[in-house]
Amino acid sequence: MIVGVWVLYGVSAVAMFGWPGLVGAVSRACSGRSALDVRTGWTAGDARDLVAVCGSEGRAALVRLQLLDLVYPLLCGLALLLVAALLVRRLSGRGWRLLLVPAVAMTVLDYGENAAVWTILSTWPAVGDMPALLGGVATTAKRAAGLAAYLAVPLLLLAVGFDRFRARGPAQVGARASSR
């Protein structure tokens, strides 16, 4: 199951970010501007500027990106969550489970951001301040949670490795190395 999720996540990531990719299509159709949800944050002014510059071709590219973004956050969050959960199961102590929270938070925030972008696209040419404000905040929070989710995996790998090393004991590891 984990491999299947990672394969689907990889395919969707290539479709989204690879060349030419949907993110690149938005940039090309919108005078070099990035889609809102790939920025580190954005404001109502940024949203108004983007949808005004994009024109009908750019807005169509944004809609195609948003359609893929209906499944991409789930696949990304699930891929990270499954690997992290597999590693957490190998560790003693309940505190390690807290490292699962960022993947869930990132996914939820991404869908909140998507709701704001869909609202902006559906109400164009008017761009409401509230959806843009909430979407920009969700984007910034998603970035922070995403960083934590991605960093949780190598941290958990190190913890599992350290636990295994500790369980074997340094004397056994040294004895094994000297017998080779």
Side-chain angles (χ1 to χ4, degrees), residues 65-127:
L65 174 65
Q66 287 306 121
L67 288 172
L68 178 57
D69 217 15
L70 291 172
V71 295
Y72 177 80
L74 178 64
L75 292 170
C76 179
L78 194 55
L80 290 169
L81 187 64
L82 288 172
V83 168
L86 179 70
L87 294 168
V88 164
R89 286 181 24 200
R90 296 172 184 229
L91 295 167
S92 60
R94 290 183 163 180
W96 292 107
R97 292 180 188 169
L98 291 174
L99 290 176
L100 302 176
V101 172
V104 174
M106 174 191 70
T107 304
V108 170
L109 289 163
D110 202 334
Y111 281 112
E113 168 195 74
N114 290 349
V117 173
W118 278 110
T119 300
I120 290 166
L121 289 172
S122 67
T123 61
W124 184 86
V127 174

Side-chain angles (χ1 to χ4, degrees), residues 26-49:
V26 169
S27 183
R28 285 188 302 281
C30 297
S31 302
R33 289 177 176 77
S34 299
L36 296 172
D37 48 0
V38 296
R39 299 177 185 193
T40 55
W42 43 279
T43 65
D46 296 331
R48 283 185 195 93
D49 176 59

Side-chain angles (χ1 to χ4, degrees), residues 129-144:
D129 288 340
M130 190 53 70
L133 172 68
L134 294 174
V137 169
T139 297
T140 303
K142 174 191 81 171
R143 292 276 178 233

Side-chain angles (χ1 to χ4, degrees), residues 7-27:
V7 167
L8 290 173
Y9 167 56
V11 168
S12 67
V14 168
M16 185 166 290
F17 300 107
W19 189 87
L22 296 175
V23 169
V26 169
S27 183

